[in-house]
Amino acid sequence: MPLENFGSILNFAENLECQDLEFYELVAANPACAAYKSAFKELAADVRKNLKTVQRARRENVTEMILEPIKDFKRDRFCEACQGAESMSAAEVLETAHRLEVRGENYYSEASQKIKALPEVARTLKRLGKKRKAHIEKLKTL
């Protein structure tokens, strides 16, 4: 399904953040990941902040939503279901978390390029991509 405008890009970003938040909250409670519980709680808190940032960007720029069409940007590459987080092994959780963060970084990087006509929103998306890159580095240390 294509992402054709500002609203669809930020709605999808909100969906990604909600999925990742749910994942991190579930794995923080997963007994197999007890050694990483505090790290996953920190990631969940950061994702919660990202979610608020996306929601604020959409609210503050709502008048721009219909002005700029987006071409050749599809959500399919960024869709990933992660079921059973509460029963994954620690190794599976770390692998899945890494994939989710790479997906988020890629999405925000590409979305910021597609929405250049709205520089403030593009900067916000780039910043969210950089945060995802920091998450990837943090996961490498676990």
Side-chain angles (χ1 to χ4, degrees), residues 7-127:
S8 64
I9 286 177
L10 289 182
N11 284 339
F12 190 68
E14 185 174 354
N15 289 339
L16 288 181
E17 297 297 343
C18 287
Q19 286 176 351
D20 293 356
L21 177 59
E22 180 181 8
F23 175 78
Y24 285 128
E25 287 176 340
L26 287 172
V27 298
N30 181 337
C33 300
Y36 308 119
K37 184 176 184 169
S38 64
F40 289 131
K41 284 189 170 201
E42 287 175 25
L43 288 167
D46 203 31
V47 169
R48 198 173 286 112
K49 290 176 189 173
N50 292 351
L51 178 60
K52 289 180 182 179
T53 300
V54 168
Q55 291 169 337
R56 185 176 354 97
R58 186 177 56 219
R59 269 192 321 272
E60 291 175 357
N61 295 281
V62 72
T63 57
E64 321 302 345
M65 287 179 75
I66 58 172
L67 298 179
E68 289 297 325
I70 308 295
K71 294 184 190 310
D72 302 323
F73 194 42
K74 298 191 187 302
R75 72 176 71 206
D76 302 344
R77 294 190 345 255
F78 307 105
C79 292
E80 179 175 338
C82 47
Q83 304 296 324
E86 60 278 345
S87 61
M88 289 179 177
S89 70
E92 291 171 320
V93 165
L94 290 172
E95 180 184 324
T96 302
H98 184 266
R99 274 196 330 268
L100 293 176
E101 294 300 335
V102 168
R103 170 191 72 170
E105 180 188 11
N106 290 338
Y107 177 76
Y108 287 124
S109 175
E110 290 183 40
S112 69
Q113 291 298 312
K114 293 290 184 179
I115 205 159
K116 282 184 186 177
L118 299 167
E120 183 179 325
V121 177
R123 278 191 301 276
T124 298
L125 295 176
K126 277 185 187 176
R127 192 170 61 250

